[in-house]
């Protein structure tokens, strides 16, 4: 008996699904290796901070630009679909913020429960504080992604009406801010958390509109080589850090060049990726990673906390980082984390389904933006202060309030058939 073919929506690009799914294991692998626990008394720190081979690996393995390129593709696709149905920018921002805020709050609670259990079992408070700070670090992506996705309606408008000026303006701002901080000492680098990632997201808009795939393959390869060549100039001629991860905080022009290189290389590989995705086993695997993607990203830190808690409870040793023993034990360490993540993939989705459905009551744009800012502020507070501070309660309370507001909606008129009928009468403006 032949298996029925898997139906794929016509506006879905499986190559985007592939790279988004593949990025997840890479992120989990990196964070798992970075979690160093060592010393007497025990403290948590970045185990790879002094591992020099990491810098070279990050020239290929630092995949966050690809993640934001794929996010830009998905964002503008969703926004155009909603516009076609007559939805507003406020509703788009509301939906995207709610889809992020709910799982983030639940995962934060998971971290706190695990840390609380470790404290109850007698873990050293100072170790827990250092450990909690390390567990919060991956939240930076949620904060930046929430900001960038809220800009999708506006940046889509610019993309349609002034695409090239938008690209050059964002790139120019990134370069100017980076150089002003580097050579003039101006404390402006944090602005590139916005401008750099908006630029990379904008590259995803170009992928969606097939800008790059229409170019000759030799040109794409040449542009990728040029981008990497300019990275070499920045690193070896201007003193930028060769570690791409070090160029994350604050984002530098090196990441802009890496984003360009990755969009060209991704476009070159798209035909091969699409051919690979025609294999049912690959499609099912990537589909599963996509379905559980948010659980994997948000709960892999909880999984690390659970594994460390079990180690402490059993009295298992923590080898000195970067020693032969430490590298050998990374195998069971990773397997244990993956096993706990698999359990979370079974447990968490049914819990998330219990969230009440959002009411069809429209929110004005300012309200959607304010709720997004509450999300970003809550995540940013935990990110910069760690989980075990008094501010965590206020952060999670603010996030919970934003979720309630986004779920209830308003202040605005009830949405429904009337809105869609009005849109049909007026005609939906297209970009």
């Amino acid at each position: 008996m032949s298996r029925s073919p898997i139906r794929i929506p016509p506006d879905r690009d499986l190559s985007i699904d592939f790279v988004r799914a593949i990025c997840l294991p890479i992120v989990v692998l990196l964070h798992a290796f970075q979690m160093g626990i060592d010393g007497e008394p025990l403290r948590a720190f970045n185990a790879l901070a002094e591992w020099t081979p990491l810098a070279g690996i990050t020239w290929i393995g630092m995949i966050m630009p690809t993640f934001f390129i794929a996010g830009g593709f998905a964002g503008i696709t969703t926004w155009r679909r909603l516009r076609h149905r007559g939805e507003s920018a406020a509703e788009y921002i509301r939906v995207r913020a709610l889809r992020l805020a709910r799982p983030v709050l639940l995962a934060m609670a998971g971290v706190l429960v695990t840390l609380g259990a470790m404290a109850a079992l007698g873990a050293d408070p100072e170790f827990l504080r250092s450990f909690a700070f390390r567990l919060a670090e991956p939240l930076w992506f949620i904060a930046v992604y929430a900001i960038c996705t809220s800009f999708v309606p506006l940046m889509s408008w610019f993309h349609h009406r002034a695409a090239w000026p938008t690209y050059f303006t964002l790139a120019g701002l990134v370069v100017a801010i980076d150089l002003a901080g580097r050579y003039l000492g101006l404390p402006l680098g944090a602005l590139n958390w916005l401008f750099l990632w908006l630029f990379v997201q904008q590259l995803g808009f170009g992928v969606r509109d097939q800008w790059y795939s229409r170019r000759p393959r030799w040109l794409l390869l040449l542009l990728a080589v040029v981008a990497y060549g300019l990275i070499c100039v920045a690193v070896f001629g201007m003193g930028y850090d060769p570690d791409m991860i070090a160029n994350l905080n604050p984002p530098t022009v090196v990441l802009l060049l890496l984003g360009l290189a990755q969009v060209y290389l991704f476009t070159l590989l798209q035909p091969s990726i699409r051919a690979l995705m025609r294999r049912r086993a690959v499609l099912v695997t990537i589909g599963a990673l996509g379905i559980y993607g948010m659980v994997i990203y948000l709960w892999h830190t909880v999984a690390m906390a659970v594994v460390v808690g079990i180690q402490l409870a059993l009295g298992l040793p923590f080898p000195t980082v970067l020693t032969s023993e430490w590298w050998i034990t990374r195998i069971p360490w990773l397997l244990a984390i993956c096993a706990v993540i698999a359990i979370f993939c079974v447990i968490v989705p049914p819990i998330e389904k219990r969230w009440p459905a959002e009411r069809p009551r429209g929110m004005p744009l300012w309200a959607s933006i304010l709720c997004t800012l509450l999300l970003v502020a809550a995540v940013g507070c935990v990110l910069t202060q760690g989980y075990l501070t008094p501010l965590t309660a206020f952060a999670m309370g603010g996030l919970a309030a934003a979720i309630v507001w986004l779920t209830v909606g308003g202040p605005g008129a009830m949405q429904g058939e009337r809105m869609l009928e009005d849109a049909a009468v007026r005609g939906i403006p297209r970009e």
Side-chain angles (χ1 to χ4, degrees):
M1 182 176 179
S2 62
R3 289 179 289 188
S4 59
I6 299 176
R7 295 182 179 180
I8 307 299
D11 63 347
R12 194 171 195 93
D13 190 328
L14 295 180
S15 66
I16 296 294
D17 293 329
F18 180 87
V19 296
R20 294 181 83 177
I22 291 300
C23 285
L24 283 170
I26 296 174
V27 170
V28 172
L29 186 69
L30 175 63
H31 290 164
F33 274 101
Q34 284 181 320
M35 182 60 75
I37 299 175
D38 192 0
E40 185 59 45
L42 287 177
R43 293 292 181 266
F45 55 93
N46 183 356
L48 301 183
E50 304 300 325
W51 192 56
T52 52
L54 179 65
I57 294 172
T58 60
W59 285 51
I60 297 175
M62 221 298 274
I63 43 72
M64 275 303 166
T66 298
F67 221 128
F68 276 88
I69 290 167
F73 181 104
I76 197 170
T77 301
T78 302
W79 167 233
R80 287 172 176 174
R81 189 184 303 130
L82 288 176
R83 283 199 67 203
H84 185 72
R85 297 208 313 248
E87 300 285 4
S88 65
E91 186 63 17
Y92 170 86
I93 295 171
R94 174 193 182 187
V95 169
R96 301 292 278 192
L98 192 58
R99 296 298 182 270
L100 281 174
R102 285 174 169 175
V104 166
L105 181 63
L106 195 60
M108 283 182 173
V111 171
L112 289 176
V113 168
T114 307
L115 292 174
M118 293 170 68
L121 292 172
D124 175 31
E126 287 302 318
F127 164 71
L128 286 181
R129 270 189 279 274
S130 66
F131 187 46
F133 191 82
R134 293 292 307 168
L135 292 175
E137 288 184 347
L139 290 174
W140 77 266
F141 171 77
I142 300 298
V144 176
Y145 190 75
I147 294 172
C148 287
T149 198
S150 69
F151 272 87
V152 164
L154 176 63
M155 301 311 296
S156 174
W157 188 90
F158 282 121
H159 179 71
H160 177 69
R161 288 164 178 80
W164 285 110
T166 301
Y167 278 107
F168 285 121
T169 298
L170 289 171
L173 287 169
V174 171
V175 173
I177 289 169
D178 187 21
L179 295 181
R182 188 173 185 81
Y183 294 107
L184 301 179
L186 299 179
L188 302 175
L191 291 174
N192 274 346
W193 284 108
L194 174 64
F195 296 127
L196 183 281
W197 294 116
L198 282 181
F199 174 83
V200 178
Q201 178 177 263
Q202 212 77 2
L203 295 178
F205 293 1
V207 173
R208 178 65 180 84
D209 291 341
Q210 300 180 341
W211 278 23
Y212 313 109
S213 60
R214 297 194 188 106
R215 307 294 181 248
R217 295 178 65 81
W218 66 264
L219 179 59
L220 294 172
L221 180 59
L222 176 62
L223 290 172
V225 170
V226 169
Y228 269 111
L230 291 174
I231 292 175
C232 290
V233 172
V235 169
F236 301 111
M238 301 175 67
Y240 280 84
D241 199 308
D243 187 339
M244 297 298 110
I245 298 175
N247 285 285
L248 268 175
N249 188 21
T252 70
V253 68
V254 171
L255 281 189
L256 183 148
L257 295 169
L258 186 63
L260 288 170
Q262 290 185 3
V263 78
Y264 300 138
L265 292 175
F266 168 66
T267 306
L268 280 171
L269 293 172
Q270 265 187 308
S272 299
I273 295 173
R274 289 173 180 143
L276 184 64
M277 287 291 285
R278 284 196 285 268
R279 299 183 179 182
R280 189 180 184 89
V282 176
L283 184 59
V284 170
T285 302
I286 296 301
L289 287 172
I291 291 171
Y292 298 108
M294 187 63 78
V295 176
I296 294 171
Y297 186 84
L298 289 175
W299 287 81
H300 78 277
T301 53
V302 190
M304 286 194 287
V306 170
V307 174
V308 170
I310 293 173
Q311 279 188 261
L312 290 173
L314 296 178
L316 298 176
F318 292 89
T320 303
V321 299
L322 302 183
T323 62
S324 298
E325 184 183 2
W326 184 83
W327 283 109
I328 292 171
T329 57
R330 291 313 87 190
I331 298 173
W333 163 250
L334 287 171
L335 291 176
I337 292 171
C338 290
V340 178
I341 291 174
I343 294 172
F344 285 144
C345 286
V346 175
I347 295 173
V348 173
I351 298 174
E352 291 182 337
K353 289 180 180 179
R354 295 181 177 273
W355 288 106
E358 56 266 35
R359 294 181 61 195
R361 189 181 180 208
M363 292 182 72
L365 183 60
W366 66 265
S368 296
I369 293 174
L370 179 58
C371 287
T372 301
L373 290 176
L374 283 173
L375 164 61
V376 173
V379 171
C381 178
V382 176
L383 170 65
T384 56
Q385 304 301 315
Y387 278 98
L388 299 181
T389 69
L391 290 176
T392 301
F394 291 100
M396 294 183 67
L399 182 55
I403 291 171
V404 170
W405 193 355
L406 289 165
T407 302
V408 173
M414 294 292 289
Q415 294 176 323
E417 294 181 2
R418 182 179 58 80
M419 184 197 71
L420 295 179
E421 290 173 357
D422 290 346
V425 171
R426 293 193 309 269
I428 305 301
R430 295 177 179 270
E431 293 182 330

